[in-house]
Amino acid sequence: MTQLSTRSVLHRRMCAFVDWIRTDDNKVDTIREQAAEIRARIRGQAEKDGLTVRSTPNAGSFEKKTGLRRHLQGDSDVEGQDVDLPFVVSPHDEDGERIDELLNRFNRYAEATYPFTQRKKTRSSIQLDFVGTKLRYDLVPMLAVPGNDVSQILLRANGERRRTSVQKHIEFVTRRTGESNLMKGRVKFNECVRLVKWWREFRQSNARVLRDVPSMVLDLMCAHAYDRIQVKETYAETLAQWFSLMAATVQRRERIAFTDFGLIPAANQAAEWEVLDPVNSGNNVISQWGFAEVDELGEWLEASCDMLHRVVAADLRGDDVESMDCLVDLFGNPFRHHCETEA
């Protein structure tokens, strides 16, 4: 790819769009204040009910600085980030270790504390939707690991108990963001993750079979690309190279694994493809995917890599119309309206 100037129209547009898709700056303080209030109130209810709340660690895309703004307009809906609020508990009886019982309890706590707030029970959390702030919080009960303050047990609806670490997942992303902050130019790891997450929304909307690509999968795929390519001086060049690498990785079924927190185990020959959780290498985060899902992801990546090359070529020859049309294809119609720096 011909080197793209950081003074190009394309780079200016993508910089403006990256700034727009992040969580609104004026909501950051609101999120922190409301999250602290929810933690205190729900914790009080839990402890009155006989649960010992060991900790309520910061978690999720808000802490990783990879969250998206909420955009619910026309045919370009992006739900935006949920704010994860883990509650790490030591129950006093065996019933307290069952996910259905824990979710029922936390649903009662939420109802008692926020009776007029919309609630929804998921497989592993209680969602709270606040109309006034237009924010969603996920109350996630987890079990404490005796003698280990940075590990938790995540409970699944199917009865599975999976060891994890909220803190280490944050460190996994923020360490790479910190490294990229020291590189030349303004392109940062977490901002590229945001772009890839936004891109996903407009692939899923027209998917054949792959209608849910979890953000954790994208975090790990982006880290895989970053560890090999790092970031370039422009977003377009970075994403073109990342998508090219990721497409080849998917199509060849090359395993994605990391040594941040331990050794990599032997490959599971029975798996269609492996994307291993760096905190728990026994957890293949796409274990439920089959041939069709993996193939469709590879197709998205390959087509988008080709589209990015078209974007760069159009920008280099001064064809703003072609460049914009391609970018809207990649990131949806919101790009057209939010790619210019405000005066």
Side-chain angles (χ1 to χ4, degrees):
M1 178 184 289
T2 304
Q3 176 111 17
L4 184 67
S5 171
T6 55
R7 296 187 297 273
S8 67
V9 172
L10 172 56
H11 187 59
R12 187 193 73 220
R13 284 172 169 171
M14 292 199 72
C15 287
F17 188 65
V18 166
D19 289 342
W20 179 77
I21 64 174
R22 70 187 180 194
T23 307
D24 292 352
D25 287 340
N26 60 7
K27 285 192 174 181
V28 170
D29 288 342
T30 300
I31 290 172
R32 293 199 183 280
E33 291 169 7
Q34 192 165 38
E37 176 195 274
I38 295 169
R39 282 189 175 98
R41 292 187 177 187
I42 298 297
R43 182 174 195 151
Q45 291 286 333
E47 291 180 343
K48 282 196 299 185
D49 196 34
L51 292 180
T52 299
V53 180
R54 296 294 183 187
S55 63
T56 57
N58 295 326
S61 60
F62 182 70
E63 289 302 319
K64 295 174 186 173
K65 294 183 171 57
T66 60
L68 301 176
R69 73 161 54 235
R70 181 163 293 186
H71 181 268
L72 303 178
Q73 295 180 17
D75 296 322
S76 301
D77 287 0
V78 175
E79 285 291 335
Q81 73 175 12
D82 297 345
V83 182
D84 292 339
L85 299 179
F87 290 81
V88 184
V89 304
S90 294
H92 295 166
D93 54 58
E94 290 185 4
D95 275 350
E97 295 198 8
R98 292 177 18 235
I99 186 60
D100 55 344
E101 173 60 20
L102 274 176
L103 287 179
N104 287 337
R105 287 189 180 195
F106 274 79
N107 194 41
R108 293 198 303 270
Y109 307 155
E111 183 179 16
T113 309
Y114 298 101
F116 305 111
T117 300
Q118 184 176 344
R119 300 183 312 281
K120 177 183 176 182
K121 186 189 296 186
T122 75
R123 289 181 297 178
S124 57
S125 72
I126 302 298
Q127 287 181 355
L128 285 175
D129 283 292
F130 289 84
V131 175
T133 57
K134 298 181 180 179
L135 293 170
R136 172 179 292 168
Y137 297 84
D138 276 333
L139 313 182
V140 186
M142 308 174 85
L143 299 183
V145 175
N148 190 329
D149 292 337
V150 295
S151 291
Q152 304 87 32
I153 301 296
L154 180 64
L155 303 174
R156 297 293 190 185
N158 62 4
E160 180 185 0
R161 299 158 64 94
R162 180 175 297 161
R163 188 163 178 148
T164 188
S165 172
V166 168
Q167 295 90 335
K168 288 181 179 178
H169 277 294
I170 301 297
E171 179 187 342
F172 179 83
V173 172
T174 56
R175 181 175 68 77
R176 288 165 172 81
T177 300
E179 288 177 358
S180 70
N181 287 340
L182 302 176
M183 297 176 188
K184 183 179 179 181
R186 68 150 282 173
V187 180
K188 312 304 178 192
F189 174 72
N190 65 309
E191 293 179 339
C192 291
V193 174
R194 276 199 188 104
L195 281 168
V196 173
K197 289 169 68 173
W198 190 277
W199 163 88
R200 164 200 57 191
E201 297 298 320
F202 294 92
R203 309 281 80 73
Q204 290 179 160
S205 61
N206 296 304
R208 296 192 308 274
V209 292
L210 190 53
R211 298 188 180 278
D212 181 22
V213 182
S215 291
M216 184 177 179
V217 174
L218 298 184
D219 284 352
L220 299 183
M221 293 186 69
C222 288
H224 175 75
Y226 171 81
D227 289 353
R228 285 151 183 79
I229 296 172
Q230 298 188 319
V231 294
K232 306 306 173 185
E233 287 194 54
T234 67
Y235 294 103
E237 289 173 297
T238 301
L239 289 188
Q241 292 188 34
W242 280 21
F243 282 176
S244 177
L245 175 73
M246 290 191 286
T249 299
V250 173
Q251 289 161 355
R252 293 197 288 259
R253 304 303 198 258
E254 293 177 1
R255 183 166 62 157
I256 292 178
F258 304 89
T259 58
D260 292 54
F261 305 110
L263 299 176
I264 300 173
N268 178 1
Q269 301 299 331
E272 176 63 32
W273 182 40
E274 289 186 288
V275 180
L276 302 186
D277 181 348
V279 170
N280 177 356
S281 59
N283 174 26
N284 177 13
V285 299
I286 49 93
S287 61
Q288 301 303 310
W289 292 13
F291 178 87
E293 288 84 357
V294 178
D295 257 18
E296 186 166 15
L297 177 61
E299 291 167 10
W300 291 355
L301 291 162
E302 185 174 27
S304 297
C305 175
D306 291 343
M307 187 69 70
L308 280 161
H309 282 278
R310 286 178 57 192
V311 168
V312 172
D315 184 81
L316 290 171
R317 67 174 181 265
D319 189 343
D320 288 350
V321 173
E322 171 72 6
S323 175
M324 178 62 76
D325 287 346
C326 291
L327 288 163
V328 169
D329 185 79
L330 285 166
F331 300 113
N333 208 47
F335 190 95
R336 191 183 303 278
H337 304 295
H338 300 285
C339 67
E340 297 296 339
T341 304
E342 293 183 6

